[in-house]
Amino acid sequence: MKKILFSAVALASTLFAYCDPNMAMYGGECTSQSESFVGNQSLVNSVVADSAKTDLITSSNNLAVSAQYMYSDDLKILNIPFYVNIGSNFGVEASVPYVSLRNQLGETNTGVGDVSVGGNFHFGSMDENMGLNITTLVYKSTTGDSKKGLGSDKPAYTLSHKIGKYVTNDIALNGIFSYTFNDKSVSGNAYLVAFGGSMPCLLYSKVRTNAKVSYFHIDEGDNIFTQQEVKATDLWISWDLNELTWKVPVSVGLKIPLQNEIGTAQADKKYLFYVSATGLF
């Protein structure tokens, strides 16, 4: 069966955000730019955590459970997404992240992050003229401890639409637009646009190479800690090993930062490595 991964990582697009050490006065721990991802976690979920959702929708199964591990400098995440098909066009989902991060004081905090739940409407297929379309609405909860940097302490809502289509028997294209409504005391609203494709690996035809370029933008917030815009352009490259792992979709990959800006300043560029495995039932 043909498969395409829109992406195979989780909670990684927003690996930097504005941080002022004075925020410790208000009971929070000021984490580094690479750690402050929680304000837009739901946006990231809609983009990078749902390769299992795509695999499920394009299969005859009703349940998908995925395990995804990410590593980037002082940030480690184990993310567990669940997806269930309800009928032929609807699905529900949940995502539970377990986060470990090191703050600017060298202290490491670990725990459950902000759990997300949502639903999706999907139609079409990869081989049709209209392609496979998935519209998703996700609610991000406040389960993570905001004082330790594990959560944002404010809910967020993300609406996204994705499309994927085979343009030849082997080459597939995909794209996404996602918009997140945040509490502006934590972060401004955010949007992401991404486009890419996949094809059999040039070195070994049973492995698919996936590549995409994404542009991520966070609007200005409404206080001194969130008032700067954030911009990021990233290259994502992953390898889909489905045919080598007993029909269990497995991916390994890398995020390469191209542009990271906070306001008018350049932010530290953080690479991200990841592995993802999915069970279909």
Side-chain angles (χ1 to χ4, degrees):
M1 177 174 56
K2 294 179 178 178
K3 291 182 180 291
I4 179 174
L5 299 183
F6 286 105
S7 188
V9 298
L11 312 178
S13 288
T14 56
L15 288 178
F16 63 91
Y18 177 66
C19 180
D20 189 317
N22 293 324
M23 72 184 300
M25 298 170 54
Y26 301 92
E29 295 187 9
C30 182
T31 57
S32 73
Q33 292 174 350
S34 67
E35 297 161 348
S36 301
F37 67 94
V38 292
N40 290 281
Q41 181 178 314
S42 59
L43 170 67
V44 181
N45 280 340
S46 73
V47 177
V48 299
D50 62 0
S51 59
K53 183 196 321 186
T54 305
D55 287 334
L56 178 63
I57 290 172
T58 56
S59 75
S60 59
N61 301 91
N62 295 317
L63 170 66
V65 181
S66 187
Q68 300 155 345
Y69 178 76
M70 287 124 295
Y71 174 84
S72 178
D73 194 11
D74 42 18
L75 174 65
K76 303 178 183 68
I77 304 169
L78 173 64
N79 192 57
I80 308 295
F82 303 84
Y83 301 96
V84 180
N85 273 347
I86 302 176
S88 58
N89 296 105
F90 295 93
V92 294
E93 60 193 73
S95 182
V96 182
Y98 189 82
V99 183
S100 174
L101 61 86
R102 186 173 66 250
N103 63 25
Q104 290 180 333
L105 300 178
E107 301 168 337
T108 298
N109 293 314
T110 60
V112 175
D114 288 341
V115 174
S116 298
V117 296
N120 66 78
F121 171 70
H122 49 267
F123 61 93
S125 73
M126 295 292 296
D127 296 312
E128 295 179 357
N129 290 334
M130 70 177 66
L132 174 65
N133 289 262
I134 308 173
T135 299
T136 304
L137 179 63
V138 172
Y139 163 75
K140 182 193 70 66
S141 71
T142 59
T143 54
D145 188 337
S146 61
K147 291 184 179 181
K148 294 182 178 180
L150 304 177
S152 66
D153 198 34
K154 300 290 182 181
Y157 301 86
T158 297
L159 180 65
S160 65
H161 184 77
K162 305 174 188 179
I163 184 169
K165 176 179 171 56
Y166 276 100
V167 294
T168 71
N169 288 334
D170 292 323
I171 299 175
L173 300 180
N174 59 76
I176 182 170
F177 178 79
S178 181
Y179 194 88
T180 295
F181 299 89
N182 288 306
D183 187 299
K184 291 190 176 181
S185 64
V186 174
S187 171
N189 292 337
Y191 68 87
L192 183 143
V193 179
F195 180 80
S198 68
M199 62 180 293
C201 181
L202 296 177
L203 300 178
Y204 191 54
S205 61
K206 291 188 177 182
V207 176
R208 289 190 70 85
T209 300
N210 305 271
K212 69 153 59 70
V213 175
S214 65
Y215 175 75
F216 180 68
H217 182 101
I218 305 178
D219 295 333
E220 294 181 359
D222 62 1
N223 63 53
I224 189 173
F225 304 126
T226 65
Q227 64 186 4
Q228 297 197 60
E229 288 183 312
V230 176
K231 303 175 184 178
T233 303
D234 297 304
L235 172 64
W236 304 83
I237 301 177
S238 64
W239 291 270
D240 176 7
L241 312 177
N242 294 353
E243 296 187 37
L244 302 180
T245 52
W246 301 280
K247 298 183 179 180
V248 175
V250 173
S251 294
V252 294
L254 170 69
K255 179 185 77 74
I256 302 172
L258 303 178
Q259 172 211 23
N260 286 354
E261 294 182 8
I262 301 175
T264 59
Q266 294 291 322
D268 292 339
K269 294 181 178 180
K270 300 288 184 178
Y271 290 83
L272 179 110
F273 303 90
Y274 59 86
V275 59
S276 172
T278 300
L280 301 175
F281 306 92

